[in-house]
Amino acid sequence: MRDTRMNAVQELLDRIEAGSVANLVTYLNGLGEDDKRVAARHLPTHLGERRRSGFEAEQRVRELALLYRLAGAACLGGPGQVASWLDRRELRWVKPEADAAHVMSVLSDRPEEWRRDLAVRLVQRLRPATGSTWQRIQALGNWDLAAALVIETGAEPPENDAFVSGWVLRMAERQRLNPNRVLAGDRLLDHMLPRLFQAQGVADGLMWDRGWGDGPTVLGQLVAMAGTGRVPRQVLLDGCVSRFLAGADAAEAAPFVTMWRELEPEAAEVPVADFVRMVPSASSPVVQLALEELRRAEPALDGELFAEAVQALAYRPEKKYMAAAVKWIAAASPSRGALAVAALAPVFHVDTPSLRERAVRVAVKLAPHTAEPGREAIREAAAWLPADLRERVAAAFGAVEEFQPEPMSAATLTATPLPALAPPMTSVAELAAELAEPLWPEVPAQFERILAALVRLTHQDRDAVVAGLQPWWQTNWRHPFDAHTYAHGISGFDEDIRSLLARCALAVVSPADSRVLTATLNESSSRWPSSEPAPQRFVQRRFREVMSLFERGESIPVLLATPTSPTGHVDAATLLTRMEELGDTEPLETDFLQALLRLPRHIDPGLVVRAEKLPSQAGRRLAACLRDGGLPEPVVTWELLAFDRPASYQQSLQEAHAGLTPPEGVSGQLAELWTLHPKPGYPPFSRHMVWWPPAMPSHREAVAAHVLACLPWAADSTTGQVEVVAALAHTGGPAGIATAGAIVIGMGHRLPAQRALAADAIITLAAYGDLPAADLGRAVGRMVRGEQVKLHRVTGVLDEVTSAGAHAEVWTALKEAIPLLLPGPGEKAKAGLGELLKVAVRAAESTGARGDIPRLADLAARKGSSQLLHQARRLYEVIAA
């Protein structure tokens, strides 16, 4: 009997492997209960063992995911077991709607209560997906099956936002595929309707395809159904209000704002008290709607609600709502406006002169009608006003005491140190564990540590390394080995440093496979040469050099260039010790040059005597390098150029470029590293710039030149790579206009988190005393004028670093930038220039700066109340005092 049942399990596995869904369903429907129980005991073990059998086995599980799901759904006993099985990560690779239909077919003989329980459990297990709308639709997982069970059994699903958002996303997808589909007939509509206004994650689905396709959106269908009576109109209106009051962010609130507008409620339907309650904390789109609706329904607002509404608007951080509050008060009758005079008080603190002056005019006009509490609020706020406005308020409201701010002490500049290096690995077990971990994101120090251990341990006992890395080899490489899969099936496999590190280990464990893979890749690369810039080719070359050593069956005791500092530097004394360990053996050439590039700027002269005793030719080269104080610097140039770039590239009027020319007598790899000339067409690009600062940690300006060539590509991407600019700040060597240009590109990134990295670079360089502040100012002025970066983004970074204590450096930079940015005769000023001058005022005041900025006096003398003119006058007064 036991053999018969085990035969049934084997037949089940064979049918899964055969891949026929129809045959498997027929077999499962005919399987006895005892056989199902035996299969249920074996399925989880079988699946776990198969997943651990290597890459190909795991891929095959994905291909057979639907059949494994059917087998588990039919054979496992309790609804909890089935829900867990269907939720396994490796079994999610199915087409959800087709999968739901097939699974339902093998569950049809289960009791209804059992299926109702499974429905509830599946709904509970749903989790919100992330990413774009399309990515979230693709990641709905078991939603379709859960929904089918809820519909079939009439189960009451538990509250779960993922179930609601999944419904919206699936409806949106079906609407796109079939624009004539009618939502009114959906069997989950009545259940989902009230929950739409409570669940997170429904916004993008409600609006999907709006502005793209011709068919109606889910939101549009809901509004249409309110017109026909299929959906109660008041439910939608009340739902929108409840969502607004719940404090949804702008993206989540947007579809409900649209829904409210498309429902076109009458003024009498506007719940004015609720809309007033929204104003203080709601997202901006909701506040804008509230303002419009409250103005439309103003007759329903009594004096108290009116005062509350304008007060809430005036305390919003957005200036447009402050301006709206002032305008609303000004338009009211004097008796009504006087009730809200206190709402003008926060406007007195804004740094927009025109808005502040208008608030003062309105307050003075309403002074005769204002009760004492409002008068007191105005007098207190007026203490912050400039003298001329303060005097006007005092004439209308009574004496105003001038506010005397306490002098603020400047922040102390501090550089955040880099994390310390992990200690070297000393065992094969450590090496195997490190290689088994995901090597993403790329951290050069981690890769260097692994490579150094692989070299040293292989030299000590290659057989032990081969034995210790067997599990890693079995899991991460195809068996039988197929070089073409890696050479032609994985993009960038010959350039990605993770792949190169893995290939170094492969060359130890299986040198024959490694040689075949290298030959195959070399054949491919001869047709498609690398597009990586010179610094990255140099980094790759060093890993390939180690790989080639292992493929030849050779080894060396130690790598010379393994960093001894988090910056990438190699201590000169440590380098000598490593050279002495090599004896008369010549080191790997690229590793040796990498070690020279990593020498610190300042070297103990006494080490030269020790270096002169080294017996190898490389030892003599090292001694000469130490005598000369390190490698020579390339010649760096910087200019703004205009190129006719391809249409897909973000073009500007001009681009900042640095050029590199190697010193006379420099040749070979070093000459290649230190040669850079800007070219038309697509500019250079690399996703791996994080490797460059630790590759040349004493040659900052040379690295910055290469970074400046590549970084603009990433200026609007989510992976901005401004980390490389922050890393540059911790390295050594000259910092000049190329470094400044790279920092400015980072300052102009569209993402605040990336701009924060540029701010960190400025603060670090300033703390070390290395910031080329004047060059930074020149780069800001010329790159903003050339439209390569946006002024308001640069201004925000400069304001941040001023607050961090770099006020003196910022002033030095802005002394250079402002003359380049001030408008000439007949020229329109750059948008946001007033905000930049405001930062300059702060920096000049903190520094106690005095002097003259060309053309500033002329600008300050112009008439007007704009932010630009106001800040120009302030700056002129500060530096001319």
Side-chain angles (χ1 to χ4, degrees), residues 33 35 73 114 161 174 183 239 280 297 435 462 464 505 583 594 620 643 647 669 738 760 788:
E33 292 301 317
D35 289 335
W114 187 98
D161 288 358
R174 292 172 182 171
L183 183 61
L435 282 171
R462 184 166 189 150
Q594 176 67 94
R620 291 188 288 276
F643 285 124
Q669 294 191 69
D760 181 64
Q788 191 172 12

Side-chain angles (χ1 to χ4, degrees), residues 253-288:
F256 301 103
V257 170
T258 301
M259 180 183 289
W260 178 274
R261 289 197 166 113
E262 293 189 359
L263 288 169
E264 300 179 344
E266 299 292 332
E269 293 180 284
V270 177
V272 290
D274 285 336
F275 271 99
V276 171
R277 287 168 53 206
M278 297 171 197
V279 174
S281 59
S283 60
S284 186
V286 174
V287 176
Q288 184 62 44

Side-chain angles (χ1 to χ4, degrees), residues 8 29 374 401 430 443 468 544 592 626 700 710 771 794 802 845:
N29 287 336
E401 186 176 345
E430 284 183 275
V443 179
R544 292 195 184 103
F592 177 69
L626 294 178
R700 178 163 41 207
C710 298
L771 180 69
V794 170
T802 301
E845 288 177 335

Side-chain angles (χ1 to χ4, degrees), residues 516-771:
V516 171
L517 178 56
T518 297
T520 307
L521 286 165
N522 287 344
E523 181 183 345
S524 177
S525 64
S526 66
R527 296 193 301 268
W528 303 98
S530 174
S531 61
E532 285 284 355
Q536 193 61 23
R537 295 199 303 272
F538 178 74
V539 172
Q540 294 166 349
R541 198 174 293 131
R542 180 162 167 258
F543 280 80
R544 292 195 184 103
E545 191 177 58
V546 173
M547 189 190 315
S548 176
L549 177 81
F550 291 151
E551 286 177 350
R552 298 193 302 269
E554 301 173 10
S555 67
I556 53 173
V558 65
L559 283 178
L560 299 179
T562 304
T564 58
S565 164
T567 59
H569 285 102
V570 174
D571 174 68
T574 302
L575 175 56
L576 281 170
T577 300
R578 292 171 179 170
M579 287 288 291
E580 289 164 349
E581 188 175 352
L582 287 180
D584 57 4
T585 301
E586 293 295 335
L588 301 175
E589 177 58 29
T590 306
D591 184 49
F592 177 69
L593 178 55
Q594 176 67 94
L596 298 184
L597 285 165
R598 284 176 167 166
L599 284 170
R601 301 290 296 181
H602 304 290
I603 300 170
D604 179 4
L607 295 176
V608 176
V609 176
R610 185 176 161 193
E612 289 172 341
K613 298 177 181 177
L614 294 169
S616 63
Q617 181 182 353
R620 291 188 288 276
R621 291 166 61 193
L622 174 58
C625 182
L626 294 178
R627 276 195 300 272
D628 294 340
L631 294 173
E633 290 290 336
V635 177
V636 182
T637 57
W638 192 90
E639 57 187 333
L640 286 170
L641 298 171
F643 285 124
D644 185 17
R645 297 295 193 192
S648 59
Y649 184 72
Q650 181 65 38
Q651 296 213 29
S652 57
L653 293 177
Q654 292 178 311
E655 302 171 7
H657 286 282
L660 293 177
T661 304
E664 187 176 349
V666 171
S667 60
Q669 294 191 69
L670 189 57
E672 180 185 350
L673 273 175
W674 285 350
T675 299
L676 178 66
H677 302 293
K679 298 176 182 178
Y682 283 107
F685 174 70
S686 177
R687 291 186 175 86
H688 309 288
M689 288 187 283
V690 68
W691 282 92
W692 303 355
M696 295 186 280
S698 291
H699 306 275
R700 178 163 41 207
E701 193 75 345
V703 176
H706 285 288
V707 170
L708 181 58
C710 298
L711 198 57
W713 262 110
D716 286 328
S717 70
T718 53
T719 56
Q721 297 198 69
V722 185
E723 292 90 346
V724 68
V725 177
L728 266 178
H730 289 276
T731 58
I737 190 67
T739 301
I743 292 173
V744 174
I745 293 292
M747 295 167 77
H749 198 282
R750 71 179 179 91
L751 295 181
Q754 294 292 316
R755 296 199 295 273
L757 291 167
D760 181 64
I762 295 173
I763 292 167
T764 300
L765 284 166
Y768 290 150
D770 290 341
L771 180 69

Side-chain angles (χ1 to χ4, degrees), residues 315-564:
Y315 275 98
R316 292 283 306 189
E318 305 95 333
K319 289 179 184 176
K320 67 176 182 178
Y321 296 126
M322 288 185 171
V326 174
K327 183 178 179 180
W328 197 356
I329 295 171
S333 66
S335 59
R336 186 175 176 86
L339 296 173
V341 160
L344 297 170
V347 187
F348 287 3
H349 296 275
V350 301
D351 56 5
T352 305
S354 57
L355 177 57
R356 194 169 53 205
E357 290 175 16
R358 184 172 187 192
V360 168
R361 286 199 305 271
V362 174
V364 170
K365 176 184 173 183
L366 295 174
H369 308 277
T370 304
E372 183 54 32
R375 297 175 71 85
E376 179 62 25
I378 292 296
R379 286 195 296 271
E380 289 181 4
W384 297 77
L385 289 170
D388 58 332
L389 297 181
R390 190 170 63 248
E391 290 169 3
R392 290 169 58 185
V393 172
F397 287 87
V400 175
E401 186 176 345
E402 181 182 358
F403 175 74
Q404 298 291 341
E406 295 182 8
M408 295 183 64
S409 58
T412 302
L413 274 172
T414 54
T416 303
L418 295 174
L421 294 178
M425 286 181 276
T426 57
S427 71
V428 175
E430 284 183 275
L431 175 63
E434 281 292 315
L435 282 171
E437 290 295 317
L439 297 176
W440 184 260
E442 289 184 8
V443 179
Q446 181 188 14
F447 283 49
E448 291 280 4
R449 181 170 178 257
I450 294 173
L451 187 66
L454 184 65
V455 167
R456 184 174 285 280
L457 293 171
T458 300
H459 184 75
Q460 292 172 353
D461 189 343
R462 184 166 189 150
D463 291 342
V465 174
V466 171
L469 295 186
Q470 285 297 308
W472 168 84
W473 180 50
Q474 291 291 338
T475 303
N476 291 278
W477 295 91
R478 283 181 174 269
H479 301 282
F481 190 79
D482 181 8
H484 288 276
T485 299
Y486 301 102
H488 306 297
I490 302 177
S491 177
F493 193 75
D494 195 36
E495 296 191 343
D496 186 274
I497 303 299
R498 284 174 297 163
S499 301
L500 293 176
L501 179 61
R503 287 175 58 200
C504 287
L506 175 68
V508 175
V509 179
S510 182
D513 288 341
S514 182
R515 287 192 293 270
V516 171
L517 178 56
T518 297
T520 307
L521 286 165
N522 287 344
E523 181 183 345
S524 177
S525 64
S526 66
R527 296 193 301 268
W528 303 98
S530 174
S531 61
E532 285 284 355
Q536 193 61 23
R537 295 199 303 272
F538 178 74
V539 172
Q540 294 166 349
R541 198 174 293 131
R542 180 162 167 258
F543 280 80
R544 292 195 184 103
E545 191 177 58
V546 173
M547 189 190 315
S548 176
L549 177 81
F550 291 151
E551 286 177 350
R552 298 193 302 269
E554 301 173 10
S555 67
I556 53 173
V558 65
L559 283 178
L560 299 179
T562 304
T564 58

Side-chain angles (χ1 to χ4, degrees), residues 136 140 143 161-171:
R136 294 177 63 215
L140 286 178
W143 184 89
D161 288 358
F163 188 53
V164 181
S165 63
W167 178 78
V168 175
L169 290 168
R170 187 62 80 207
M171 295 306 104

